[in-house]
Amino acid sequence: FGTRPSPHSAAQFVAVPHHFASMVALISRLGACVPVYDFHTATKYANVLLNAQIVLCACGALSWAFGGVATLTFGFALLAHVGLEVGSQKLLRMYTISQLALLLWDVIWLGLWAGRIDRGTDAIFANAHYHGTPRFLLGMQVLLFLSRPLVLLLWCKMWDLGFGATEATNPYGQMEDAMPAPPPQAPPAAVAGYGQGHDQGYKPYGVPNGNPSLGQGGGAYVPPPQGNA
């Protein structure tokens, strides 16, 4: 015997697209704050920020403790590079959504460890010679936290531009690099010379079919008319 579906499950099934539409609307509003109008230019800025994040994470990973947060950001930055290279919409959207989670993760991590690392009063910092390295990691993490809103806004703009899917119909697409090709030049017109056909070129008087001085045959010499004959 069949069972009737619960109205609550149907409501949950309908609510999923609604939440997704709300998220897309939020991303579109955040992307509108970025004054970039084509995906090509946005990709340039995104690569610069991704490379900066990778450098900061590599420097932060030099710490002998608390370096897991830098490793997490490093992995997502590599994911974004792979998504841009292969043009995967799924990977690019995944990275954009992950920036919201990573921003929240930065706030939690800094709230838990920033003061303790800066003071260095825990037993893990018993040796003062090793206290500077976690502080260096703290500085790298603060820089990553400050760059996170810029990365989030830029990737929301790239999502709003369709990650290059609508670049062909975008009037601003690649306007900085793609210059219009000049029209092909017309071939030079042929210059009429001596003896080129019976009706082309200059024919001396008395030489009806060419110029004998140029090796072209002609008829008998006919003197010009003199007076009234």
Side-chain angles (χ1 to χ4, degrees), residues 4-11:
R4 294 185 58 185
S6 173
H8 300 286
S9 61

Coordinates of all heavy atoms in Angstrom, one line a residue, residues 4-11:
R4 N 1.1 8.4 1.7 CA 1.0 9.8 1.3 C 2.3 10.5 1.8 O 2.7 10.4 2.9 CB -0.2 10.5 1.9 CG -1.5 9.9 1.3 CD -2.7 10.7 1.8 NE -2.5 12.1 1.4 CZ -3.4 13.1 1.8 NH1 -4.4 12.8 2.7 NH2 -3.2 14.3 1.4
P5 N 2.9 11.4 0.9 CA 4.1 12.1 1.3 C 3.7 13.2 2.4 O 2.6 13.7 2.3 CB 4.5 12.8 0.0 CG 3.3 12.8 -0.9 CD 2.5 11.6 -0.5
S6 N 4.5 13.4 3.3 CA 4.3 14.4 4.3 C 4.3 15.8 3.7 O 5.2 16.1 2.9 CB 5.3 14.2 5.4 OG 5.2 15.3 6.4
P7 N 3.4 16.6 4.2 CA 3.4 18.0 3.7 C 4.7 18.7 4.1 O 5.1 19.7 3.4 CB 2.2 18.7 4.3 CG 1.9 17.8 5.4 CD 2.3 16.4 5.1
H8 N 5.3 18.3 5.2 CA 6.5 19.0 5.6 C 7.7 18.7 4.7 O 8.5 19.5 4.4 CB 6.9 18.6 7.1 CG 5.8 18.9 8.1 ND1 5.6 20.2 8.5 CD2 4.9 18.1 8.7 CE1 4.6 20.2 9.4 NE2 4.2 19.0 9.5
S9 N 7.8 17.4 4.2 CA 8.8 17.1 3.3 C 8.7 17.8 1.9 O 9.6 18.2 1.3 CB 8.8 15.6 3.0 OG 7.6 15.2 2.4
A10 N 7.4 18.0 1.5 CA 7.2 18.7 0.3 C 7.6 20.2 0.4 O 8.2 20.8 -0.5 CB 5.7 18.7 -0.1
A11 N 7.3 20.7 1.6 CA 7.7 22.1 1.9 C 9.2 22.3 1.9 O 9.8 23.2 1.4 CB 7.1 22.6 3.2

